[in-house]
Amino acid sequence: DAGVIQSPRHEVTEMGQEVTLRCKPISGHNSLFWYRQTMMRGLELLIYFNNNVPIDDSGMPEDRFSAKMPNASFSTLKIQPSEPRDSAVYFCASSLRSSTDTQYFGPGTRLTVL
Amino acid sequence: SQKIEQNSEALNIQEGKTATLTCNYTNYSPAYLQWYRQDPGRGPVFLLLIRENEKEKRKERLKVTFDTTLKQSLFHITASQPADSATYLCALDNGSGNTGKLIFGQGTTLQVKP
């Protein structure tokens, strides 16, 4: 298996633009997680899905952020409009079930908002 | 408030020595705790999971302890090697019943010198 796949790996955009990050979880995994990592705040959970259904989005910073999982093999995280404070590395992770299973992280998308 | 604390300062040790990293938490009652390794520019990689009813767990040169009274986990790497240099993150479930929602510490950077 190729592991969790994220695209793009790097994104540079201007303030106010829409940004869409993409994730393909490991085949057969039922849970998907979106995280954001910054030096100041560390690794923070934004939202997670179980069987394509959003379970907890309490970590989503504000209404500018939205996430979807239309099927078991694809998820998106959208920021509209983007702001410089959104600059961070965004990770997607998947696990077999939502319980105590290991989470497998993707390589991340480094987002820079100018 | 809930808090997870790891040594913020980098840990520098000599090759062959044992590295000990600390994870302390407050106002949590986690059912389990996980340790991850993160290399620069990459996503975290799972190392070990220890449950609340386990005192100690080992995997090759790695050992983790979990003291729910002290609210502390210790992560040991014996016979350390320069290849062990990385940032190590501890993560707790948030205590609300095996939801898979992990809360991560800020991480401790380990540097093993040859």
Side-chain angles (χ1 to χ4, degrees), chain A residues 1 6 8 18 34 52-53 57 82 84-85 100 102 108 110 112:
Chain A
D1 201 316
Q6 291 187 247
E18 177 180 297
W34 281 101
N52 312 339
V53 176
D57 65 355
S82 57
R85 60 190 166 125
T100 61
T102 301
R110 181 172 293 278
T112 303

Side-chain angles (χ1 to χ4, degrees), chain A residues 17-59:
Chain A
Q17 296 298 307
E18 177 180 297
V19 174
T20 299
L21 311 181
R22 296 173 176 78
C23 175
K24 177 177 167 43
I26 293 173
S27 177
H29 281 193
N30 295 324
S31 295
L32 183 140
F33 307 82
W34 281 101
Y35 291 89
R36 177 172 68 176
Q37 188 173 41
T38 61
M39 288 293 291
M40 289 295 295
R41 300 175 66 90
L43 194 61
E44 302 174 284
L45 178 67
L46 300 177
I47 184 171
Y48 79 93
F49 295 82
N50 194 35
N51 293 322
N52 312 339
V53 176
I55 302 299
D56 187 334
D57 65 355
S58 59

